Amino acid sequence: SNSSSITEFLLLALADTRELQLLHFWLFLGIYLAALLGNGLIITASACHHHLHTPMYFMSYDRYVAICQPLPYGTLLGSRACVHMAAAAWGTGFLNAVLHTASTFSIQPCKGNAL
């Protein structure tokens, strides 16, 4: 077939004036640093506080089973059930990321390669 594919993108300037370019730079740098600081604080807090090492939803499902079904508690909630719940959470997150990434890269730009 007679078709061509775009293999690269040209990132055009956000603004033509130097002052607006500097404003955009400092604004995006501040947002990036705030996100980096927030993620660093979350990682530090969870690493330093030993109660944050266990997922809280295992604690909530544990309480639900203990209250609503106390007799089969040992068979319903064991280490195997916790592994299954963790695997389901990780698998769902991974699948979500893969689907979004694949759909992003499968989109064909409609007006050339200038962004």
Side-chain angles (χ1 to χ4, degrees):
S1 69
N2 190 8
S3 65
S4 61
S5 64
I6 296 171
T7 59
E8 59 187 23
F9 292 104
L10 299 174
L11 294 176
L12 301 178
L14 292 174
D16 292 334
T17 61
R18 181 76 174 155
E19 290 81 17
L20 284 177
Q21 289 175 353
L22 288 174
L23 175 69
H24 285 133
F25 170 75
W26 289 112
L27 178 70
F28 289 136
L29 180 66
I31 292 170
Y32 173 74
L33 290 177
L36 194 64
L37 178 67
N39 289 336
L41 288 174
I42 290 171
I43 291 170
T44 303
S46 62
C48 294
H49 200 283
H50 74 306
H51 289 293
L52 297 176
H53 291 190
T54 58
M56 73 174 180
Y57 295 112
F58 289 161
M59 309 301 248
S60 64
Y61 187 68
D62 173 52
R63 300 298 183 254
Y64 166 75
V65 172
I67 293 169
C68 295
Q69 298 175 346
L71 293 178
Y73 176 81
T75 58
L76 290 177
L77 192 72
S79 62
R80 188 174 193 163
C82 291
V83 168
H84 285 154
M85 287 189 287
W90 279 81
T92 304
F94 182 75
L95 180 65
N96 186 21
V98 166
L99 289 176
H100 279 99
T101 303
S103 65
T104 299
F105 286 115
S106 68
I107 295 173
Q108 294 295 325
C110 53
K111 293 190 177 183
N113 62 345
L115 295 178

